[in-house]
Amino acid sequence: MTTLRLLPDADGIARSAAILKDGGLVAFPTETVYGLGGAATIDSAVQGIYAAKRRPGHNPLIVHVPDLVAAEKLAVFDEQSRRLAHAFWPGPMTLVLPLRAGAGLSQHVTAGHSSVALRIPAHPVAQQLLRATGLPLAAPSANPSGRISPTTARHVLDGLSGRIAAVLDGGPCTVGVESTIIAPGTPARLLRPGGIPIEALELVLGHTPSRTADAARPLAPGQLASHYAPDAALRLNVTTPNAGEIWIGFGPCPGAALSLSASGDVTEAATCLFDILRQADALAGPAGHIAVAPVPLTGLGLAINDRLIRAAAPRG
C-alpha cells in the first residue's frame, strides 16, 4: 500500500472522507497529536487501526465527534460531564462516559467496557474532516503502539507509511501532548494528564480528581506502563548527564544537546516534547542513552512528566 500525503484543502478533505466512509484509515491532525482515524461504526476499520498500530486489543480507543449533539448520541451525560464539556470542548479533553444503548459503535472501540471515550477536537482540519465524513471517528495517536507520538505528518509517515491509506497534512500540532482523559464521578478520576491542566479541571469540578488506573485492563488510552518510548534508554530528572548521554534540558542547562524550553515554559515544552524525543533518539542511536532534565509538575508539566515516566519504563 502506498500512503498518500494529502493537503488539507477541499480536495484533500473530500478524498480523506471518502476513504474513511469506505472503511479505510486516514491520519489527521488534531491540536494535540495526529490521530489515526477510522470509522468507529465499521468493525473492519476499527480492527484495521489495531492492526496498523500493532496495538493491544484490550486498549480502548477515543472516538472523535464534531459537537456535543453528536457526542450525546453515543454516550450518557450527567450534569458534571456536561459542565466539563461546556468548559473544555472543543479542545484537548476526553470524557469517559457510559455507552448509550444503540450507539452503533463497533464493539472493538470500547475493548469490552460499557463506557466510551469521547472527544471534540478543536483543530479546524479535524472539524472539517469529521463533518465531511458524517461519522464518529476512532482515532488513537497515529504511530506504532508504544512508540513516540506524532505531531507532524512526517512523524506519521516515519511509523505508518505503507500501513494506512493516507495522511492529511495539517502542519505541526500546537498542544503537542495527547488529551486529558477524565471519568466524571464523585470524585472524578483523572485517567491521563494531558492538554488541559489539572488546575483548570479543579476549577470546574470544585475538587481534585483522583488518579487511579489499571494498566492490565485500561479504561482509556495512555494507561499502559510503557508508552511513548524511543529506541534509546531514557533517564529522568537528570541535572548532571553521564558521558555519552544525549541530554535534553529544561530551563538553563548549559551543555544540553537539546532543550524542551530554554526559558522553562511548560507550554512550550509540551508543544515540542515528542519532536525533541525523536531528535534525541536519532542522535543517541538504538543502543544509546538519553537524559532529561527535571520538569516541574505544574500546568502541562504533569502531562509531560507522565509521558516521560512511561517512555522510561521497562519495556515488555
Side-chain angles (χ1 to χ4, degrees):
M1 180 190 300
T2 299
T3 300
L4 302 173
R5 189 169 186 168
L6 302 174
L7 295 175
D9 55 15
D11 180 65
I13 296 289
R15 291 176 72 182
S16 297
I19 291 168
L20 289 162
K21 286 189 279 190
D22 197 38
L25 304 183
V26 177
F28 63 92
T30 77
E31 64 276 22
T32 58
V33 300
Y34 272 70
L36 178 55
T41 55
I42 301 175
D43 277 342
S44 61
V46 178
Q47 289 173 315
I49 291 172
Y50 282 98
K53 284 177 59 69
R54 300 190 176 102
R55 181 184 179 94
H58 70 288
N59 195 8
L61 305 176
I62 293 173
V63 176
H64 294 64
V65 292
D67 51 42
L68 188 55
V69 172
E72 292 203 277
K73 292 177 181 177
L74 303 179
V76 178
F77 283 71
D78 61 11
E79 189 275 332
Q80 185 188 73
S81 54
R82 283 196 183 88
R83 192 163 71 247
L84 288 164
H86 286 300
F88 300 117
W89 276 350
M93 178 193 68
T94 294
L95 290 176
V96 176
L97 301 169
L99 181 65
R100 186 176 292 281
L105 297 179
S106 166
Q107 62 180 341
H108 303 290
V109 167
T110 61
H113 293 286
S114 59
S115 57
V116 61
L118 292 178
R119 181 160 99 85
I120 300 175
H123 197 291
V125 174
Q127 279 286 330
Q128 290 172 52
L129 182 61
L130 284 163
R131 294 183 187 281
T133 306
L135 296 169
L137 297 180
S141 57
N143 58 289
S145 184
R147 307 313 299 268
I148 302 172
S149 297
T151 53
T152 68
R154 179 70 261 166
H155 294 165
V156 175
L157 291 169
D158 286 345
L160 296 180
S161 183
R163 296 196 219 169
I164 64 175
V167 55
L168 191 56
D169 188 350
C173 301
T174 54
V175 174
V177 291
E178 293 86 351
S179 61
T180 298
I181 302 180
I182 190 158
T186 309
R189 287 179 291 160
L190 180 63
L191 301 178
R192 179 179 73 185
I196 300 294
I198 191 171
E199 295 89 344
L201 291 172
E202 290 170 342
L203 288 175
V204 173
L205 290 168
H207 65 264
T208 300
S210 68
R211 295 190 65 184
T212 56
D214 181 0
R217 192 168 188 266
L219 191 61
Q223 295 184 289
L224 300 181
S226 177
H227 211 13
Y228 318 106
D231 286 322
L234 198 65
R235 196 163 67 96
L236 307 183
N237 299 312
V238 176
T239 55
T240 305
N242 295 329
E245 285 185 318
I246 302 301
W247 190 29
I248 300 174
F250 178 84
C253 291
L258 300 162
S259 179
L260 293 172
S261 173
S263 65
D265 182 337
V266 291
T267 300
E268 179 186 12
T271 300
C272 69
L273 172 65
F274 291 133
D275 187 59
I276 291 291
L277 280 177
R278 287 171 182 269
Q279 292 182 47
D281 205 25
L283 290 171
H289 297 267
I290 301 169
V292 185
V295 178
L297 288 166
T298 54
L300 293 184
L302 183 63
I304 293 168
N305 279 281
D306 172 80
R307 304 311 188 268
L308 290 173
I309 289 167
R310 295 179 195 276
R315 299 162 200 182

